[in-house]
Amino acid sequence: MNIGILGYGTIGRGVAALIEELPAEYGVKTLKILDLPQKKAELGALYAATKEEICANPRIDTVVEVLGGNDFAYDCIVMALENGKNVVTSNKEVVSRHMEEFYALAKAHGAYFWCEAAVGGGIPLICSLIDQTAYNQVTEIYGIINGTTNFVLTKMKEEGKTLNEALETARNLGFAERDASADLEGLDMVRKISILSSIAYGGLVSFEKVGHFGIASVTDRILKAAEEMGKTLKFMAYSRRDGNEVFCCVEPVLLDKNHPLSAVNNEFNAVFLNCSRNGELMFYGKGAGSYPTASAVIADILRIKNKAKPYYFNNDAAFSVTPRIKGAKYYVVKNGVGRITESEAEKQNADFYARLM
Amino acid sequence: MNIGILGYGTIGRGVAALIEELPAEYGVKTLKILDLPQKKAELGALYAATKEEICANPRIDTVVEVLGGNDFAYDCIVMALENGKNVVTSNKEVVSRHMEEFYALAKAHGAYFWCEAAVGGGIPLICSLIDQTAYNQVTEIYGIINGTTNFVLTKMKEEGKTLNEALETARNLGFAERDASADLEGLDMVRKISILSSIAYGGLVSFEKVGHFGIASVTDRILKAAEEMGKTLKFMAYSRRDGNEVFCCVEPVLLDKNHPLSAVNNEFNAVFLNCSRNGELMFYGKGAGSYPTASAVIADILRIKNKAKPYYFNNDAAFSVTPRIKGAKYYVVKNGVGRITESEAEKQNADFYARLM
């Protein structure tokens, strides 16, 4: 397999390093890496200055897109797929915006499209979810799927840091980007739960329909109040299919201390799946960091190498999407923290919270 | 695919039911089911009285062995593989005794041998472990991999039941066999950690070399004392590779209350893997019960249907196996599973043991 990598940042470097480490008999080789001109000297003969050098390069069969962002990444992925190349991406933004088109293009051109690294870092989550849908109905997904904010909340709680101090620590460790607003507002988790829900329920759960409420105003005082109640405040994504309706939202949640998710700290992610036959499954691992995320990219590359059965998203299930608890807020009551219940729709999910709290 | 099922007990019934539920276009069909004559009337035309009717049946391509036990199951699996049939088994005993031979036979006859259901019930554990070994060194495995004893300890703790009462409840729910001694003594987990370790480290970790200490003498008084210390007593398997040495044991462990495994209750199982590149991964799900275990069998059947890359155990790694803390009793665990540096850990709990043992 001849690989072209788009982007030589934290993840791209990890991918290039892990490809180097693969046993020679796998025959997986990096031919070109695209990045800005300042990386030219470092990359030498590997350096590519334009997307065409990778996405239209006849010697490259598989394109790894780890640029992030939407517009340029979208153009690259479309060009690669239209040229019959397999695409592996870690980019949740572009996948959540265009997954239907990407899978259709891949199918039309007999190519693979995999995006394991887009959700849950190194956790083998999307492949497990796809497997479960073959013999189960997946009816519910919930978990902590943003390493940055989970790291920040952990450091605030354990070390009494302010949100901004904790964020700076996360940046220094490579767990947060300069502009972390998509993380703090929950948009990053919105994209991820949109991807997971779409695959789980077999129909598009548009990221635009996912309700979300961020954690920008969480203080260590709020975290402490939660602790005093015997709870842990976690920033979580939640999705449930109930017949023709899908509820999907991202919000801070108070977890009971004996809930397994309350012990998920730092950059770790964890996701529960509720399956009609297999019951409850949970997957836990590092949701951020160079090697864990790169590991998921490598897993996808090996799926292609091993000619695993391709997966194509079909979008043939019919349901409406409700951004549950739109505009909901957490709030401090006396010495505790609670959630505002805004509507009757909220009550339909009371069982979820009953279980969690 | 034409399936023959060996055994129509709790798991066999689940497998037959889930095969019925698969979409017709998968083309997976049960042709024969072997069991004792008293099931003949119930099974009708599906009934098979001898192993030859399944393992030497030219119309059957894949044999599902869910009999349990060793001798007869061994004969069936060998006959099926020698006849070029794929084998899927949930039987940890026969796999832990004969895995090297089974994989060699499968390879020689171009057949698949999968045993996902043998460890961790419905958790996609063995497939994930195999995937990780392709681009990581897995250096450590630990977790709760016996649903019966975890259920028993949970009921003792939560409902103040005696061990025998809790065991009876487990039997009534189909989570325990009549003779639960292999569970209580840890032999069931010994077999499972032997299988996981062998796959993880690429060499046979014989079940005979795994140290174990059972829970038959655990009382609710011991569980309560652990609680008072802020710990939870869990019955766990542990394995670690350290260069040329593998440590492997099964024992009751005192977990810190904020360790994720301390929240794994009832029939649930959970397993941590420590991977050189991907870091820590954890998988959680139902470790017992008809449908969860059958789900893992179905996952293996679909791997065969989808022509997934076969896995063959090679046994080419060289290491010695140390049954660590042979005869050890209960150890404290700080923030994780015991680095059993005897002295330190033991000292910490000296008073605990002094009171109890």
Side-chain angles (χ1 to χ4, degrees), chain B residues 190-204:
Chain B
V190 162
R191 290 166 188 147
K192 290 168 175 170
I193 195 72
S194 145
I195 297 169
L196 293 178
S197 304
S198 299
I199 293 172
Y201 310 138
L204 198 66

Side-chain angles (χ1 to χ4, degrees), chain B residues 244-255:
Chain B
N244 294 327
E245 210 167 1
V246 168
F247 304 92
C248 199
C249 65
V250 170
E251 55 166 2
V253 166
L254 284 174
L255 285 175

Side-chain angles (χ1 to χ4, degrees), chain B residues 32-192:
Chain B
K32 285 282 172 195
I33 300 176
L34 174 81
D35 209 303
L36 298 175
Q38 53 261 42
K39 304 232 174 108
K40 188 172 179 178
E42 185 187 348
L43 286 168
L46 287 174
Y47 182 75
T50 67
K51 65 177 185 301
E52 286 76 10
E53 288 174 64
I54 288 180
C55 304
N57 184 334
R59 292 174 56 222
I60 286 173
D61 51 77
T62 301
V63 173
V64 172
E65 187 275 303
V66 288
L67 297 154
N70 185 50
D71 298 352
F72 183 64
Y74 170 80
D75 292 344
C76 292
I77 292 174
V78 168
M79 182 185 283
L81 290 172
E82 286 183 340
N83 282 311
K85 301 188 189 314
N86 308 302
V87 170
V88 173
T89 176
S90 67
N91 183 338
K92 54 262 174 185
E93 182 174 355
V94 79
V95 175
S96 69
R97 285 179 190 273
H98 305 289
M99 62 188 286
E100 200 181 352
E101 183 181 352
F102 293 158
Y103 279 112
L105 274 176
K107 195 173 182 179
H109 293 271
Y112 281 102
F113 179 78
W114 293 112
C115 58
E116 182 64 72
V119 187
I123 307 172
L125 181 59
I126 290 181
C127 62
S128 301
L129 177 60
I130 291 171
D131 282 354
Q132 291 301 317
T133 58
Y135 50 93
N136 275 287
Q137 293 217 302
V138 178
T139 55
E140 193 177 43
I141 308 167
Y142 62 91
I144 297 164
I145 47 177
N146 180 273
T148 306
T149 50
N150 199 42
F151 182 90
V152 163
L153 289 175
T154 304
K155 290 299 163 206
M156 288 174 71
K157 191 184 99 176
E158 290 181 355
E159 301 176 13
K161 287 187 198 249
T162 66
L163 192 139
N164 281 329
E165 287 164 357
L167 205 47
E168 198 49 41
T169 308
R171 283 194 191 102
N172 294 336
L173 291 167
F175 298 149
E177 295 172 57
R178 185 87 342 239
D179 177 7
S181 57
D183 299 302
L184 295 174
E185 288 168 22
L187 293 175
D188 178 80
M189 284 207 277
V190 162
R191 290 166 188 147
K192 290 168 175 170

